[in-house]
Amino acid sequence: MSLKYLILMLALWWSITAQAQYYLYTPQYIDSLQRILTQPVSDSIKARVNFQLATYWISKDTLKARTCIARGRSLAASSPFLIQVANATEAYYLFYTGATEQSETLYKKVEAGLAASPVKEALIIRSTAWSSRAVMRQKADDDKGYIQLMLSKAIPLAEQANDSASLATHYVGVGVAFMNLDQNEKAEAYFDKAIPILLRLKSESRLIAAYKRSGENYILLKKWDKARETLNAFKQILFKYPESDQYAGYYMIEGLYLKGQKQYKEAVHSFDKAIEKASGPNKAYFIDELNFYKLDCLLEAGEFKKALSVLNILSTDPRNMEMDQNRLEVYRKSAMVYAGLNDYPAAYRYQALYSALSDSLHESRFRNDINDMEARYKTAESEKQVASLKAANAQAALQASKNRLFNFLLAGACLLLLAFAIFYYLYYKSHKKLLEQEAVNHRQQIRELAQQQQLTITRSILEGEERERERLARDLHDGLGGLLSGVKINFSSWAKQHLGPAADPPFFKILGQLDHSVEELRRVARNLMPQSLIEFGLETALKDLCGFYMKDGLKIDFQSFNIQPGIDRLKQVHIYRIIQELLSNTVKHARANYVLLQCSQNGDRFFITIEDDGTGFEPGSLSEKKGSGIHNIKNRVNYLDGQLDIRSEPGNGTVVSIELNLA
C-alpha cells in the first residue's frame, strides 16, 4: 500500500469517526462500548454501538467489523435513518477491503436516503460519504476529480452541519491533493484553513498529521521561515508522546529543512534519527530514501569518506540494487565520491558502470522493439506463404475437377456437346473474374502489410531517436555540464583569492569564454530534450519555444485551447518536435513579421495551425527541396496517424494545418 493511499485512508477514517474524539478509540473505550451492549438499552442505541465498533475494527479485524455491521443492521431494521447509517458503515468497510464498485453503490443509496434530512448527523454522514467517494477518485490517480467532489459536495455539507472536525480533515485532504498536482500554493491555503480549526478543537493527533504535511509543503515552496515555525509546532505536540510512530516523519522533514538551509551536518544527524525511528511495512524503502538524502548532504559537504560508508550500505542491499534506477544512481554517486577522494581509477570504473548500465537499459528497450517488429514481420511472411499454398492447392483441386468433368462429358452424347461448350465458356469466364479479383485483393493485402511494416519501422526509429536525445541531454547536462560548472567555480574561487579584477584581463576573458561554453552546452542539452517539457508539460514547453524564437521584428502569438496534461509523454515530444520544425522553417525562410500558432485538443484529436504573413511559396516546390525538415514533420504526423495540409502562394504567406490522433 503506497504512502499516498495510507494518508487517504487515514483521512477518511478520521472523517467517519468525526462524531467521536480520536483519542477515545482506546481499549478502555472499546470495553465500555461492549458493556453497553449487555445493558437493557433500546435497539437503536445497540445498533449505533455496533456501528461504532465496526468502524473501530475495520482497520484491525475485518471479520469482526463485518459481524458488527450485520448485528447493527438487524437492530436498525425498523429505523430508516439507522438503515442509512448501516449503509454508510458498510460502504466504508467495502471501500477499505477494495470492493469500490459495491461501496459506490451503497454511498449513492446513503445520499438518496438522507438528501431531504436537515438533521446535523445526516449532513455529517452525507459529507463523509462524499469524501469517501472523492477518495475513490484519488485512488484511481484522479486528484482533480477528488478536489471537485470535496469542494462541491463534502466541504459544503460539513459547513452546513457546522462540523469543524470533519471540515478541518477535508481541508487537509484537499491540501494533499493539490500537493500531488504540484500546486503547492493552493495546498498551503487549505492547510492554513485546517490548522486553526484543529488548534481550536485541541485535536493533537490530527494536528500532528496536518503539521507534517504542511511542513513538507513549505519546504517544497522553499518558504523556510514558515517551515521552521511549523516544525517547531509539530515538535511541541509530538514530543509529548514518546511512543508515537510519527517521529520518523518529523525527523525526515527536519532533515529536508536543514538540507535546504545547507546545514548538511545537522541534516545528516536528523536523517539518522529518522532511520532509527522508522517502522511499518514500508520501513526498508523509507530507509533507502533517507540514505539517498544523507548521501546528497555528505557530497555537498565534501564528506567523501562518510559518503562512501552510506554508499556501501546502499550498494550491499540486494533489494535496493535489484531496481535499475537505484543501481544507476548508486553508480553515479560512487563516481562522484571516488573522484572527491582522488581515487580516479575507481571513479572512472563507476562512471563506466553508470554509462554501461544507462546504455544497456536504452539498448535493451530498443532491442525489444526491434525483436517485436521482426517477430511481427516473420509472422506476416509465414501467413503469406500459407495463403499462397492454400491458393495453389485450391487451384490444383479445381483444375482436376474440371478435367474429370470434361472427360465425362466428352464420353457422353454428342447432342450435349454444344450445351456443354456454352456452359463451360460461361463458367470459365465467371471463374476468371473471380481469380482476378482474388489476385487484386492479395496484392492489396501485400501493399497494406508493407505499409504497416514501414510505419512500424518509422515508429521504432522515432522512439529510439527521442530516447537517445533524452539520454544525450541528460548526460550532457549531468555529466559534462557538471564538470564544466565545477571547473568554472574553481577558477572563479582561485581568481578571487589570487587576482584583482584588473590584474589579468586575459584570464578573465578566458573565464568568460568558459562561462559562455557552459551556457552553450546547456542550450544544446535543452534543444535535445527541453527541460520545461519534462517538468511542466506540453503547453508550458510550447510557450517557452515561442519565446525562444521571438525576436525584434518577429512576433509569435501562441494560443492554446483545452490542452490536457495527461497526453502520453512520447506523443508530447512528437507534437513539440513538429511545432519546433514548423517555427524553425518559418523563421529561416518566411521573412515574416507576425506568426499565429494555435494548438487545441478535442478528446483524442489534437489540432495545430500555424499562419504567417511572410513571402509564401509554391507548395509544389516542396518535393524538389533536399532538406529533411518537411520529411521529419511528415514522418511524425504519420506516426501519430494524422493529416497535414499546407496552403501557400508567393507573396501571401503560409498556413499549415495539422490534425493528430492521440488514441
Side-chain angles (χ1 to χ4, degrees), residues 377-420:
Y377 175 78
K378 289 181 178 179
T379 300
E381 286 294 315
S382 299
E383 291 176 352
K384 184 169 69 175
Q385 292 176 3
V386 170
S388 299
L389 289 173
K390 286 183 178 180
N393 291 337
Q395 181 68 21
L398 181 60
Q399 189 62 41
S401 176
K402 288 193 294 184
N403 289 338
R404 287 194 299 271
L405 179 61
F406 178 76
N407 292 331
F408 175 77
L409 293 175
L410 187 62
C414 292
L415 295 176
L416 299 177
L417 183 60
L418 182 60
F420 170 74

Side-chain angles (χ1 to χ4, degrees), residues 168 171-179 184-198 209-218:
Y171 286 151
V172 172
V174 173
V176 172
F178 276 121
M179 286 180 66
N184 301 93
E185 294 287 353
K186 291 184 178 179
E188 178 185 1
Y190 282 94
F191 291 136
D192 288 347
K193 288 182 179 181
I195 289 174
I197 297 174
L198 295 174
Y211 280 140
K212 177 181 176 182
R213 302 301 293 180
S214 179
E216 182 181 354
N217 190 61
Y218 282 135

Side-chain angles (χ1 to χ4, degrees), residues 161-444:
N162 197 24
D163 179 19
S164 300
S166 293
L167 194 60
T169 301
H170 294 341
Y171 286 151
V172 172
V174 173
V176 172
F178 276 121
M179 286 180 66
N180 293 335
L181 293 171
D182 296 327
Q183 297 184 32
N184 301 93
E185 294 287 353
K186 291 184 178 179
E188 178 185 1
Y190 282 94
F191 291 136
D192 288 347
K193 288 182 179 181
I195 289 174
I197 297 174
L198 295 174
L199 286 170
R200 188 174 68 251
L201 295 175
K202 298 181 180 180
S203 180
E204 293 186 335
S205 57
R206 302 185 192 191
L207 268 172
I208 286 174
Y211 280 140
K212 177 181 176 182
R213 302 301 293 180
S214 179
E216 182 181 354
N217 190 61
Y218 282 135
I219 290 172
L220 292 172
L221 288 169
K222 300 188 184 306
K223 294 186 176 182
W224 306 114
D225 291 340
K226 290 188 175 181
R228 185 176 63 252
E229 292 175 6
T230 303
L231 272 172
N232 290 335
F234 188 178
K235 183 177 181 179
Q236 287 178 5
I237 298 175
L238 180 63
F239 280 47
K240 296 179 184 178
Y241 306 99
E243 302 302 321
S244 174
D245 59 357
Q246 296 291 327
Y247 279 89
Y250 169 78
Y251 286 122
M252 183 190 77
I253 296 174
E254 182 183 64
L256 291 173
Y257 169 77
L258 293 170
K259 180 174 178 285
Q261 299 299 302
K262 299 185 179 181
Q263 298 179 26
Y264 300 117
K265 182 178 180 180
E266 293 81 358
V268 168
H269 184 61
S270 294
F271 290 138
D272 284 335
K273 287 183 178 180
I275 291 172
E276 180 185 348
K277 296 291 185 178
S279 62
N282 296 311
K283 174 182 177 180
Y285 297 99
F286 183 58
I287 289 176
D288 285 342
E289 181 182 8
L290 292 167
N291 276 322
F292 275 116
Y293 287 146
K294 279 181 61 179
L295 187 56
D296 287 338
C297 290
L298 293 170
L299 284 172
E300 291 289 343
E303 297 281 353
F304 297 110
K305 289 185 178 180
K306 292 181 180 179
L308 184 60
S309 299
V310 177
L311 270 174
N312 289 335
I313 295 172
L314 291 168
S315 61
T316 55
D317 183 357
R319 178 196 47 73
N320 179 61
M321 295 297 286
E322 71 182 5
M323 292 183 283
D324 292 334
Q325 292 302 322
N326 284 7
R327 194 161 69 255
L328 201 65
E329 187 68 8
V330 168
Y331 290 158
R332 188 171 74 88
K333 295 293 176 61
S334 296
M336 296 169 65
V337 169
Y338 281 111
L341 293 171
N342 297 322
D343 187 350
Y344 295 107
Y348 176 79
R349 184 171 66 254
Y350 277 104
Q351 183 63 36
L353 287 172
Y354 169 79
S355 299
L357 179 58
S358 178
D359 292 343
S360 174
L361 294 175
H362 170 71
E363 181 181 353
S364 175
R365 290 191 294 268
F366 185 73
R367 190 187 306 116
N368 290 338
D369 293 340
I370 294 298
N371 290 342
D372 182 58
M373 181 177 66
E374 183 180 10
R376 290 198 298 269
Y377 175 78
K378 289 181 178 179
T379 300
E381 286 294 315
S382 299
E383 291 176 352
K384 184 169 69 175
Q385 292 176 3
V386 170
S388 299
L389 289 173
K390 286 183 178 180
N393 291 337
Q395 181 68 21
L398 181 60
Q399 189 62 41
S401 176
K402 288 193 294 184
N403 289 338
R404 287 194 299 271
L405 179 61
F406 178 76
N407 292 331
F408 175 77
L409 293 175
L410 187 62
C414 292
L415 295 176
L416 299 177
L417 183 60
L418 182 60
F420 170 74
I422 296 172
F423 170 77
Y424 182 78
Y425 172 76
L426 295 174
Y427 173 78
Y428 177 79
K429 185 176 180 180
S430 175
H431 190 65
K432 183 179 179 181
K433 290 182 179 179
L434 180 60
L435 290 177
E436 290 175 350
Q437 185 61 41
E438 288 179 351
V440 170
N441 292 340
H442 186 61
R443 288 195 295 271
Q444 180 64 25

Side-chain angles (χ1 to χ4, degrees), residues 542-543 545-547 549-551 554-561 579 583 593-599 609-612:
L542 291 178
K543 290 179 182 177
L545 182 64
C546 291
Y549 280 111
M550 202 178 304
K551 59 184 180 179
L554 174 61
K555 178 181 180 182
I556 301 177
D557 185 5
F558 172 62
Q559 300 176 1
S560 61
F561 307 95
I579 295 173
L583 288 175
N593 296 316
Y594 177 78
V595 177
L596 173 62
L597 172 62
Q598 293 181 326
C599 297
T609 301
I610 181 168
E611 180 178 353
D612 67 67

Side-chain angles (χ1 to χ4, degrees), residues 561-572:
F561 307 95
N562 198 34
I563 296 179
Q564 302 299 317
I567 299 174
D568 177 75
R569 164 81 175 280
L570 184 57
K571 292 177 182 177
Q572 289 189 46

